[in-house]
Amino acid sequence: MGTQSVLVVLFDGVLPLDVAGPVDVFSVAARFAGSTDTPPYVVRTASLGGEAVRSAGGLQLVPDLDLADAEDPDLLLVPGGPGVGDVDSRLVTWLRERAPHVRRVMSVCTGTYLLARAGLLDGRRATTHWDSCDYLASRFPEVLVDPVPIFVRDGPISTSAGATAGVDLAIALVEEDYGRAVAHEIARLLVVYVRRPGNQAQFSVQLSAQVARSDPLREVQYWVAANLASDLSVPALAQRAGLSPRQFARAFGEQVGMTPGRYVDRLRLEAAQRLLTDTRDGVIRIARACGYGTAEAMRLAFMRELDVSPTEYRRRYAKSSTLHSERR
């Protein structure tokens, strides 16, 4: 594969991390793929009129060229930031006219809003920062907004959640171009804890769920997370909380924001994902440790929630050291 061109759109109020995160990924790829003569990616930045922009927080960014002079890149990167709401309409027009001719387009965070304004997401699945998903869905009802995953790929257009999710998406694109080994090396160099799959939720269950107001229910939440292999049925948890099953289920739903069963299911799935990627334990052992009982029960849970089997999930997303240990 020859050198690919990456064009990053800049505007006043852009979030620096939305730009710097993915750019770092494409830049350091040269250490693991290509050569000094043919780097895997060449990144350039552009703005309306080629003028310097003032990013969110006050950092000034000086682009390489005027958008009007930019050739169609192999990859167009549209970052987000508080400035998306006031961006010049000429930038939206440029995206509407030029993006359809680009092989791949990616947005980071609220950059999704600019793609939607340009009509590029009509009829497509897309995501953005969790705090902006409701607004995106109401403002652009023709866009199929999915608030859960950290990034969504629909045809040539990929959209991602908050700023760091742009790094995950960029690494996924590099993996598509140069393979899993290169992607892992980039993740290691940038000290990314683990290369997350796109269908991973923007929040872990313990962050997205509410913390119960009452002490008994709060203690149940903490106990469940530490005892996934135990009996976590509503009657058993209700007894631990000192409530009847009916009282417990109603109070838990009101205070935590989801049913006890859903809370347990998500904790078990999250724990299994972590063990599959971070350890060399076998699938049967992980299934028992997470409270599934059997490998088949865990497989059904993975297929239902992630549309992938535990074995395939590990193959795609496990740390290279884990896979190496398994092969020995």
Side-chain angles (χ1 to χ4, degrees):
M1 177 176 291
T3 299
Q4 297 189 66
S5 58
V6 180
L7 183 67
V8 184
V9 175
L10 299 182
F11 52 88
D12 286 328
V14 69
L15 194 67
L17 188 56
D18 285 9
V19 175
V23 166
D24 272 354
V25 171
F26 296 124
S27 297
V28 302
R31 295 184 56 171
F32 310 106
S35 66
T36 55
D37 294 329
T38 57
Y41 304 97
V42 171
V43 180
R44 306 186 80 189
T45 57
S47 68
L48 289 172
E51 297 179 358
V53 303
R54 184 70 64 179
S55 69
L59 183 67
Q60 188 178 56
L61 302 177
V62 181
D64 296 309
L65 70 160
D66 185 338
L67 277 172
D69 299 328
E71 297 181 357
D72 290 340
D74 295 299
L75 171 63
L76 177 63
L77 194 163
V78 182
V84 296
D86 299 316
V87 77
D88 193 309
S89 61
R90 292 177 297 163
L91 176 55
V92 177
T93 299
W94 186 92
L95 289 171
R96 183 181 299 116
E97 294 175 350
R98 299 289 294 276
H101 304 290
V102 177
R103 184 168 66 89
R104 294 189 301 193
V105 178
M106 68 172 283
S107 67
V108 182
C109 197
T110 52
T112 304
Y113 176 75
L114 297 181
L115 298 184
R117 278 188 61 186
L120 301 170
L121 298 179
D122 292 356
R124 294 186 184 276
R125 285 182 65 237
T127 194
T128 185
H129 189 282
W130 62 269
D131 194 40
S132 299
C133 283
D134 287 345
Y135 176 77
L136 183 68
S138 63
R139 177 69 175 77
F140 302 99
E142 63 276 18
V143 179
L144 308 177
V145 180
D146 189 340
V148 175
I150 58 173
F151 64 80
V152 169
R153 303 189 64 185
D154 190 328
I157 300 180
S158 302
T159 54
S160 62
T164 56
V167 173
D168 296 291
L169 175 54
I171 290 176
L173 294 178
V174 172
E175 178 174 346
E176 181 179 275
D177 295 338
Y178 294 98
R180 193 157 180 264
V182 171
H184 266 292
E185 290 301 323
I186 292 172
R188 289 181 58 201
L189 184 64
L190 297 181
V191 199
V192 177
Y193 175 66
V194 63
R195 182 177 52 80
R196 300 180 292 174
N199 57 9
Q200 179 169 314
Q202 294 192 33
F203 283 125
S204 69
V205 61
Q206 295 186 72
L207 289 177
S208 59
Q210 302 170 40
V211 176
R213 297 186 300 274
S214 63
D215 289 340
L217 294 186
R218 206 161 43 239
E219 289 302 319
V220 166
Q221 283 183 280
Y222 299 149
W223 188 85
V224 167
N227 297 273
L228 292 177
S230 300
D231 178 3
L232 302 182
S233 63
V234 168
L237 296 180
Q239 183 178 20
R240 178 168 289 276
L243 299 170
S244 71
R246 184 176 179 180
Q247 289 175 317
F248 173 78
R250 182 175 65 251
F252 193 95
E254 291 174 350
Q255 296 187 34
V256 180
M258 63 182 73
T259 66
R262 181 60 176 163
Y263 186 77
V264 169
D265 287 345
R266 290 185 60 187
L267 276 177
R268 281 176 167 158
L269 182 69
E270 192 171 277
Q273 289 176 276
R274 186 170 58 252
L275 290 173
L276 284 167
T277 57
D278 294 357
T279 76
R280 65 189 75 171
D281 292 346
V283 171
I284 294 176
R285 183 174 180 179
I286 291 174
R288 290 173 179 168
C290 295
Y292 288 109
T294 67
E296 176 61 14
M298 186 169 79
R299 188 190 72 81
L300 291 174
F302 267 68
M303 294 301 298
R304 180 176 63 251
E305 298 290 340
L306 304 175
D307 197 27
V308 65
S309 71
T311 301
E312 178 62 16
Y313 184 92
R314 167 171 273 174
R315 188 191 70 78
R316 293 183 187 179
Y317 308 120
K319 294 180 179 179
S320 56
S321 58
T322 301
L323 292 175
H324 179 69
S325 298
E326 287 190 332
R327 286 195 295 265
R328 287 189 301 180

